[in-house]
Amino acid sequence: MTADTSAGTSAATAAWATHKRSHVGDRVLSALTVAATLIILAMLVVILGDVIIGGARVISWEFVSAAPTKGMTAGGIFPAIFGTVALTLLMTIAAVPAGVATAIYLAEYAPASSRLARAIRVCIANLAGVPSIVFGLFGLGFFISTVGKGIDDVAYGGQATYGKPSLIWAALTLAILTLPVVVVATEEAIRAVPRDVRDASLALGATKLQTVFRVVLPEALGGILTGSILAVSRGAGEVAPILFTGAAYFLPYLPTNLNDPFMSLGYHVYVLATQSPDVDRTKPLLYGTVLVLLSLTFLLNFVAVAIRARTRRRLRASL
Amino acid sequence: MSQSFHRLLPEEAHSALVRIAALKSDGPTPVKMQAKGLTVSYSAKEAVKDVTIDVHENEVLALIGPSGCGKSTFLRVLNRMNDTIDGVTVKGSVTLDGQDIYAPNVDAVLVRRRVGMVFQRSNPFPKSIFENVAYGLRIAGIREGGLIAQRVERALRQAALWDEVKDRLTESGLSLSGGQQQRLCIARALAVEPEVLLMDEPASALDPIATAKVEDLVAELRSDLTIVIVTHNMQQAARVSQKTGFFYMGKLVEVGDTTTLFTRPKERATEDYITGRFG
Ligand SMILES: Nc1ncnc2c1ncn2[C@@H]1O[C@H](COP(=O)(O)OP(=O)(O)OP(=O)(O)O)[C@@H](O)[C@H]1O
Ligand SMILES: [Mg+2]
């Protein structure tokens, strides 16, 4: 520290001193990082602990297999679990193929100077920054009032069949929300496939298409799956986008058609927390619902992490 | 049928005879590939300048020269692998059996089926040993399992790898040693039965024993196909090739019989390079 000021210091010791100071910087930084990590971990432990302790008491076979009863102050949450799973599956079917196809175009086919590719990237970046409630409004305005109403006018003589909140519109709205993450993760995974193996394939007389489908995608599969699952699991817990597009307060029946409304875990949490006439009696149910929602999300994340670990291991074995 | 047979036979038979005679007498074989006034540039920078060279059938042509002189660039022009790099322009012509491979109606994919390539860094697919070699056959649309198995075995034998891998064909190609991986890549290229094989420093990452194996391989393969090999090792060029070309700063300084080029080079630059005075 004093090296800069003391007069007789040779250039060599000055260099040593800066070196040492950077060590001090390293230590301060790593202490700060550790502290930040601990704070986050502590918060996570508190939240999770509270949810698990509060939720474990109400979780039972009946809770996950029965419908709510007595004005939602008793009974189970099966319709909400069913709705969330159906919603997530539909959203995945819509978002992942479209996202992967977009990423393949961006990573493999778009020329470096392509205007279209640049436009797509700008859209994706902006899409990722839009608040989720805006997606909900978009879903209402576009899918329900425009597309759904159009279908009704053409096919159902103006009778509200698709022009109302329903499973399909909520799933598509969520799909748009998830799409950017799927595209970005997939493009990264595709670009991580080394040029060497592409060249090897092309040099054997493979077409670009053959190379993409037989060499690039199989190698990128782990990364694509991991990214997609993480994106989907984030979308699965969202409430705002489905608020106006299909989620129902309470339904005596399960959705059986794409144009049925549905109950969902996230929305059910919101309903129990804010709309209940008897907070003391719904509070345990609230804990249980949150625990189920978190478990489903964690399950998805766990699958994603397991796939990533497996891919990593295979890659490491290849070195 | 019989008509085309008659039309084909004399010519085919004749050229086969010429080939055999040429091999026997070590005289000149027909020209397999020819580059004429070839200039290749990356964006604005010229990497290969006005190169004219013949590659004769059933001969090994070695390309030597200091790093960055354009050897790999030239090699990649011969099977249109430069098409996969953005901003590359090719001027001049390259012919394969007299046909310009850069003509607008020529499909680069078909060129690459006839002109195979082995890269400097071995690059097996993360597939089984068998599937690595079968890949080129499958993408060419061959479906019969028997035929594929037969061609895979033959290619692995040609690449002197069969005995080492015949009991572990279903293991990953990446589980092999570096030298074995490179021979796997050679087998993979041979399986599709190319007419010309381009090899870009195929032994540069190998130990002396593996290198010797690859060199023996090149010498043997010559009876079946035409080989262009880039090497930094001048002994290697002298050992495996009949013709040698010396590249310097993108230009082909000199090309000729390997023995002549190494004993009585015409150009001063060639002499300096092979005697180790620069580069
Ligand atoms: N993809 C590329 N983009 C731009 N310039 C390139 C590219 N590849 C090669 N070059 C340039 O072209 C020139 C010739 O490169 P090339 O790889 O053909 O040399 P080389 O003779 O094979 O060298 P080495 O012996 O080191 O492999 C070099 O100056 C190099 O910088
Ligand atoms: Mg090179």
Side-chain angles (χ1 to χ4, degrees):
Chain A
M1 287 280 181
T2 54
D4 326 296
T5 45
S6 66
T9 326
S10 74
T13 35
W16 275 106
T18 12
H19 203 67
K20 187 147 183 204
R21 195 162 48 203
S22 79
H23 273 308
V24 174
D26 278 350
R27 256 183 244 141
V28 170
L29 194 67
S30 66
L32 282 175
T33 323
V34 169
T37 315
L38 286 179
I39 291 173
I40 293 170
L41 270 181
M43 292 199 298
L44 196 68
V45 167
V46 168
I47 295 173
L48 279 184
D50 187 41
V51 169
I52 291 172
I53 292 168
R57 257 176 291 174
V58 285
I59 299 261
S60 63
W61 174 244
E62 198 215 335
F63 185 72
V64 294
S65 67
T69 49
K70 297 186 191 147
M72 287 199 277
T73 56
I77 54 167
F78 179 68
I81 297 177
F82 182 89
T84 298
V85 171
L87 181 72
T88 309
L89 284 179
L90 282 174
M91 161 182 77
T92 309
I93 291 169
V96 171
V100 171
T102 310
I104 291 175
Y105 170 74
L106 288 178
E108 294 289 335
Y109 287 97
S113 55
S114 157
R115 288 235 180 105
L116 178 61
R118 208 176 318 146
I120 294 176
R121 280 179 214 286
V122 170
C123 287
I124 287 171
N126 284 318
L127 217 53
V130 174
S132 52
I133 189 75
V134 178
F135 282 99
L137 288 173
F138 169 79
L140 178 65
F142 179 72
F143 289 126
I144 297 177
S145 307
T146 311
V147 181
K149 186 122 187 321
I151 294 176
D152 287 348
D153 288 344
V154 172
Y156 296 94
Q159 202 185 354
T161 311
Y162 279 93
K164 61 185 175 53
S166 51
L167 191 53
I168 177 78
W169 304 136
L172 288 179
T173 307
L174 272 187
I176 295 180
L177 178 99
T178 357
L179 195 65
V181 192
V182 176
V183 173
V184 171
T186 304
E187 194 186 347
E188 235 165 64
I190 291 177
R191 286 195 189 279
V193 175
R195 192 186 165 99
D196 286 11
V197 289
R198 293 162 205 264
D199 281 354
S201 171
L202 293 171
L204 286 166
T207 61
K208 180 103 191 195
L209 196 71
Q210 286 172 324
T211 303
V212 168
F213 278 93
R214 293 177 184 233
V215 174
V216 178
L217 287 183
E219 264 213 82
L221 191 65
I224 295 174
L225 285 179
T226 308
S228 301
I229 295 173
L230 288 179
V232 162
S233 89
R234 203 214 117 188
E238 283 281 350
V239 176
I242 59 173
L243 209 53
F244 320 123
T245 51
Y249 179 86
F250 174 75
L251 281 176
Y253 56 90
L254 294 177
T256 51
N257 282 318
L258 288 180
N259 64 343
D260 285 337
F262 59 96
M263 291 181 71
S264 104
L265 287 169
Y267 187 53
H268 197 60
V269 168
Y270 169 77
V271 168
L272 289 177
T274 59
Q275 317 285 305
S276 163
D278 187 346
V279 179
D280 286 338
R281 285 173 64 191
T282 51
K283 204 167 180 186
L285 297 181
L286 188 56
Y287 267 110
T289 312
V290 170
L291 184 57
V292 170
L293 178 58
L294 277 183
S295 305
L296 285 179
T297 317
F298 279 178
L299 185 72
L300 281 177
N301 288 6
F302 177 77
V303 171
V305 170
I307 292 175
R308 182 158 56 195
R310 239 192 78 181
T311 325
R312 286 243 177 88
R313 216 173 321 126
R314 223 189 50 202
L315 279 184
R316 209 171 313 123
S318 76
L319 291 179
Chain B
M1 177 70 203
S2 76
Q3 209 179 7
S4 67
F5 189 68
H6 275 295
R7 197 158 44 82
L8 266 174
L9 188 62
E11 252 182 38
E12 283 263 309
H14 179 69
S15 77
L17 277 181
V18 168
R19 224 172 15 236
I20 292 163
L23 265 179
K24 284 255 163 69
S25 71
D26 245 352
T29 49
V31 173
K32 184 72 187 173
M33 294 195 82
Q34 181 182 54
K36 238 190 204 157
L38 190 75
T39 297
V40 186
S41 19
Y42 295 101
S43 314
K45 186 171 165 283
E46 287 187 352
V48 169
K49 295 167 194 158
D50 194 22
V51 167
T52 298
I53 192 170
D54 290 346
V55 186
H56 290 268
E57 220 162 274
N58 298 102
E59 273 190 356
V60 178
L61 168 67
L63 301 178
I64 58 171
S67 191
C69 67
K71 305 180 295 292
S72 298
T73 305
F74 175 74
L75 204 65
R76 283 197 306 264
V77 163
L78 298 181
N79 69 342
R80 295 196 52 175
M81 277 302 283
N82 273 335
D83 294 16
T84 64
I85 302 173
D86 276 342
V88 174
T89 49
V90 177
K91 272 184 284 183
S93 76
V94 180
T95 60
L96 173 62
D97 286 340
Q99 191 194 12
D100 187 351
I101 62 170
Y102 281 90
N105 59 344
V106 170
D107 183 355
V109 167
L110 297 181
V111 171
R112 293 185 202 126
R113 288 208 179 140
R114 296 173 63 191
V115 184
M117 188 162 206
V118 174
F119 298 82
Q120 174 170 4
R121 277 179 36 167
S122 62
N123 50 1
F125 300 123
K127 301 176 190 286
S128 72
I129 293 170
F130 184 91
E131 284 306 321
N132 260 281
V133 185
Y135 181 84
L137 303 170
R138 292 198 196 283
I139 54 162
I142 299 178
R143 290 225 174 68
E144 304 147 66
L147 179 60
I148 291 181
Q150 187 191 329
R151 298 260 295 256
V152 167
E153 175 174 344
R154 207 185 67 171
L156 283 169
R157 281 187 193 282
Q158 275 183 301
L161 191 59
W162 176 252
D163 290 332
E164 288 156 71
V165 301
K166 62 171 185 278
D167 299 322
R168 46 190 290 205
L169 291 174
T170 53
E171 280 174 42
S172 167
L174 299 165
S175 68
L176 297 172
S177 76
Q180 290 172 326
Q181 286 191 12
Q182 191 59 300
R183 275 178 288 147
L184 179 66
C185 294
I186 295 175
R188 182 174 66 184
L190 291 174
V192 294
E193 300 183 342
E195 298 159 41
V196 181
L197 188 62
L198 311 174
M199 307 176 99
D200 196 348
E201 302 184 44
S204 68
L206 303 185
D207 69 42
I209 295 172
T211 304
K213 280 194 179 159
V214 171
E215 286 180 11
D216 291 347
L217 210 63
V218 171
E220 264 171 47
L221 289 174
R222 173 166 87 92
S223 53
D224 297 331
L225 38 80
T226 307
I227 295 175
V228 184
I229 182 169
V230 169
T231 175
H232 270 289
N233 179 331
M234 272 171 280
Q235 283 76 36
Q236 185 172 75
R239 276 193 299 265
V240 302
S241 71
Q242 284 70 53
K243 297 265 168 56
T244 299
F246 171 59
F247 273 79
Y248 183 54
M249 305 215 328
K251 290 210 174 82
L252 178 66
V253 176
E254 181 171 353
V255 60
D257 283 343
T258 299
T259 11
T260 320
L261 189 123
F262 279 107
T263 50
R264 298 182 306 271
K266 287 196 213 78
E267 302 292 328
R268 183 61 194 270
T270 316
E271 190 179 341
D272 285 351
Y273 183 71
I274 60 180
T275 54
R277 246 167 280 170
F278 76 83

